[in-house]
Amino acid sequence: MNLLIKSATIIDPSSPFHKQENDILIENGCIKKISKKIKNPNNLKEIKLDNLHISQGWFDTSVSFGEPGFEERETIKNGLETAAKSGFTKVAVNPNTYPVADNKSAIEFIKNKANNTATSLFPIGCLTKNAESKDLAELFDMQNSGAIAFGDYNNPIVNANLLKIALQYAQNFDALILSFPQDNSIAGYGLANEHINSTKLGLKGIPSLAEEMQVARDLFILEYTNGKLHIPTISTAKSVKLIKEAKNKGLNVSCSVAAHHLVLTDDELASFDGNTKVLPPLRTAKDVKALIKGINDGVIDMITSDHNPIDIEHKKVEYNNAKFGTIGMESLFGSLNKVIPLETLVTCLTTNPRNRFNIENSFINEGEKANITLFNPDFEYEFSLNNIYSTSKNSIFLNKKLNGKVYGIISNNKIVL
């Protein structure tokens, strides 16, 4: 692939060309030259776009596709095309398939479905067999087959001793353990954040305590084992405080937050729209403020879409019966672009998650592989069904004003615009 990108503002704090507007010459999938003006004597394909900005390719650390087992929600092929159009050159795919991805054959199946695609797929394997929190899955075998981390998506590790053993065992091959932050004995059959809105609307609540108890427990176990832990999609102010204290102690812990938890509050519940039913649930304005501060202070390491396609039969139903989850790749950038400083947002989508999940970095510099996301940070629009590429349409951001347009990606010697 040979092409010339014209007049692009580079957003990459690790690049010597950061914040500069340059032309970028790409030859055979690598960045050959970066300069103010590059001539095009060979009539290469040129990319000229309004207010073009580029960064390292974005990495989403929590994506669900469904295949195998739930192809009606999303196939791997369409999921990766959606990721590419949404600006993601790499995605980590959750194991919540049917059957769940808890063995090397399942990991190899998922990886083989993603051959020769612009967006690279990295499977996350189940931590426990059948995601039942009873016995450890085949972690070492799965890692040898391509799994980059281990966790039971949206299922907490109920057995504290099992988490302890996992953190100890995983040190033998430097594996990253994920633990979903919810104590089900407190959350029970809750549907939404336990607060004024859930009480007004008569919805059974999930207290913030359910998350914070689990985070505190996991951090105690982490301190005991000296392991390597990632806590996905935290949602409360107290969780940010607990993780900050753990990092100050020197514990090897990281965490992520879902885009919708940085923008929306439980005021959304008033519509009784099943698309607002997510896990963890939408919290209060105080929590949103604390999460944004956690991002800006570096306590929260990365931002994810927590993309979880759910078919209409399981979403357009009574709130009690709707499944948890929202799609989010298509709306992530537009929803956060004016909420989080652009440099910080890019870092939380590139360098930070790649370093934590041990994925190769490709910077915007001469001699590097072309692994690039192209976008316009000044483009306001209303997010509608026309903006959704996923098979499922369960977006929490439907009909909301977003600001920021993704043009596409250049990755794996391919271009998707």
Side-chain angles (χ1 to χ4, degrees), residues 226-278:
N226 289 317
K228 183 177 173 184
L229 180 69
H230 177 69
I231 303 175
T233 58
I234 64 169
S235 66
T236 77
K238 187 69 178 289
S239 291
V240 178
K241 184 182 176 186
L242 288 167
I243 291 167
K244 182 178 182 179
E245 290 169 355
K247 287 189 170 188
N248 288 339
K249 284 183 181 178
L251 299 189
N252 192 349
V253 62
S254 59
C255 65
S256 67
V257 61
H260 43 271
H261 285 120
L262 292 167
V263 183
L264 305 175
T265 70
D266 58 0
D267 289 344
E268 300 291 325
L269 300 175
S271 65
F272 285 101
D273 181 354
N275 290 337
T276 66
K277 188 177 177 182
V278 291

Side-chain angles (χ1 to χ4, degrees), residues 94-106:
N94 294 311
N96 54 328
T97 51
Y98 184 77
V100 294
D102 64 354
N103 59 76
K104 62 180 291 185
S105 298

Side-chain angles (χ1 to χ4, degrees), residues 74-350:
E74 190 80 281
T75 62
I76 290 172
K77 181 177 184 289
N78 192 72
L80 289 174
E81 288 173 1
T82 299
K85 292 173 183 176
S86 304
F88 297 98
T89 62
K90 292 174 169 56
V91 292
V93 176
N94 294 311
N96 54 328
T97 51
Y98 184 77
V100 294
D102 64 354
N103 59 76
K104 62 180 291 185
S105 298
I107 296 298
E108 288 166 359
F109 172 86
I110 292 167
K111 276 192 71 71
N112 290 336
K113 279 281 187 173
N115 286 334
N116 201 31
T117 54
T119 296
S120 300
L121 183 154
F122 298 91
I124 294 173
C126 277
L127 182 65
T128 67
K129 290 180 180 178
N130 296 318
E132 290 175 345
S133 196
K134 292 178 181 176
D135 300 296
L136 282 186
E138 304 166 0
L139 307 190
F140 183 65
D141 283 351
M142 285 193 284
Q143 180 161 299
N144 286 340
S145 294
I148 59 165
F150 304 98
D152 298 344
Y153 179 70
N154 276 8
N155 287 314
I157 308 303
V158 177
N159 185 333
N161 189 54
L162 195 62
L163 179 62
K164 174 181 77 77
I165 292 168
L167 286 166
Q168 290 171 327
Y169 171 59
Q171 291 174 50
N172 294 306
F173 43 99
D174 194 33
L176 181 63
I177 302 300
L178 279 58
S179 179
F180 181 66
Q182 180 167 292
D183 184 328
N184 280 348
S185 65
I186 296 174
Y189 295 101
L191 306 170
N193 181 48
E194 184 179 272
H195 203 249
I196 295 168
N197 284 320
S198 63
T199 305
K200 277 183 184 176
L201 298 169
L203 295 173
K204 188 179 282 289
I206 301 176
S208 56
L209 179 67
E211 175 172 312
E212 294 148 6
M213 284 272 288
Q214 193 81 351
V215 169
R217 184 206 75 169
D218 290 356
L219 292 173
F220 269 113
I221 296 171
L222 178 66
E223 186 171 14
Y224 177 82
T225 59
N226 289 317
K228 183 177 173 184
L229 180 69
H230 177 69
I231 303 175
T233 58
I234 64 169
S235 66
T236 77
K238 187 69 178 289
S239 291
V240 178
K241 184 182 176 186
L242 288 167
I243 291 167
K244 182 178 182 179
E245 290 169 355
K247 287 189 170 188
N248 288 339
K249 284 183 181 178
L251 299 189
N252 192 349
V253 62
S254 59
C255 65
S256 67
V257 61
H260 43 271
H261 285 120
L262 292 167
V263 183
L264 305 175
T265 70
D266 58 0
D267 289 344
E268 300 291 325
L269 300 175
S271 65
F272 285 101
D273 181 354
N275 290 337
T276 66
K277 188 177 177 182
V278 291
L279 199 67
L282 296 176
R283 303 289 188 183
T284 67
K286 178 187 171 186
D287 293 305
V288 170
K289 186 177 177 181
L291 291 167
I292 291 172
K293 187 175 188 302
I295 287 284
N296 292 328
D297 292 347
V299 176
I300 299 174
D301 304 89
M302 58 199 83
I303 298 169
T304 174
S305 67
D306 203 26
H307 182 84
N308 190 3
I310 305 292
D311 53 277
I312 192 169
E313 286 85 358
H314 292 96
K315 267 298 182 183
K316 206 164 186 180
V317 292
E318 296 86 351
Y319 207 86
N320 281 18
N321 297 327
K323 284 190 176 294
F324 289 102
T326 175
I327 57 171
M329 287 193 291
E330 300 99 312
S331 55
L332 184 143
F333 181 64
S335 65
L336 296 180
N337 178 38
K338 299 303 179 185
V339 176
I340 307 293
L342 184 56
E343 282 183 53
T344 304
L345 178 56
V346 166
T347 300
C348 287
L349 292 173
T350 56

